[in-house]
Amino acid sequence: MTGESFCMTTTGVCKELFIKYLEDFSKHKPEELKIIVIDNAGFHSTKDIILPENIVLMPIPPYCPELNPAEKVWQWMKDKIAMKLFDTLEILESKMDDLINNLEGDLIKSITGYDFYTRAFSSVFKV
């Protein structure tokens, strides 16, 4: 609940990239338990994979993007780049990288800090 983030930039999404993300995230501060809220995207299917021991996936109900904190971060980013023209894809990518790199803990918490999640985590983990 610090607002710290971990990001992996890719050119697409697929199950293999999701597995790679989980592996890399697991190795970042491996002593921490990581709870990841996931939606029902096909590439989030974990039926036949072994999760790292320090990662717990928390699926949200179908058709509830408002419960996914990542959607709030995407909306914040879209608000910063929507309705603007970029001369090249590289300039747009650079702008997005800048936005991601400048996301600080307090900003992330203000975007994604759903009260019902933080209360639930605090009660379970006695934080």
Side-chain angles (χ1 to χ4, degrees):
M1 293 194 285
T2 64
E4 184 177 348
S5 64
F6 181 85
C7 180
M8 183 172 115
T9 304
T10 66
T11 58
V13 292
C14 65
K15 187 173 184 175
E16 291 74 22
L17 288 172
F18 182 59
I19 292 168
K20 174 73 170 133
Y21 175 81
L22 294 174
E23 291 169 353
D24 290 353
F25 191 30
S26 173
K27 293 172 188 169
H28 174 76
K29 296 189 177 181
E31 71 283 358
E32 291 181 347
L33 174 66
K34 291 120 170 56
I35 301 169
I36 303 173
V37 177
I38 60 169
D39 58 22
N40 293 291
F43 64 91
H44 286 157
S45 173
T46 57
K47 290 182 223 168
D48 57 349
I49 69 167
I50 297 172
L51 289 173
E53 288 186 18
N54 62 339
I55 291 187
V56 174
L57 300 180
M58 188 169 87
I60 58 174
Y63 310 108
C64 295
E66 68 278 4
L67 297 179
N68 189 340
E71 293 296 334
K72 298 294 185 180
V73 174
W74 277 118
Q75 187 59 56
W76 177 84
M77 289 183 67
K78 288 176 196 175
D79 291 346
K80 305 291 183 205
I81 60 174
M83 305 307 290
K84 295 180 173 68
L85 296 176
F86 298 91
D87 291 332
T88 65
L89 185 56
E90 289 76 22
I91 294 171
L92 172 58
E93 289 172 347
S94 176
K95 175 66 174 174
M96 291 179 72
D97 286 343
D98 288 344
L99 289 170
I100 291 168
N101 291 330
N102 289 313
L103 276 171
E104 296 180 357
D106 287 339
L107 178 58
I108 292 172
K109 286 193 300 187
S110 74
I111 296 169
T112 64
Y114 299 126
D115 194 43
F116 56 89
Y117 283 145
T118 55
R119 277 196 321 262
F121 294 153
S122 295
S123 68
V124 170
F125 296 105
K126 309 297 185 234
V127 178

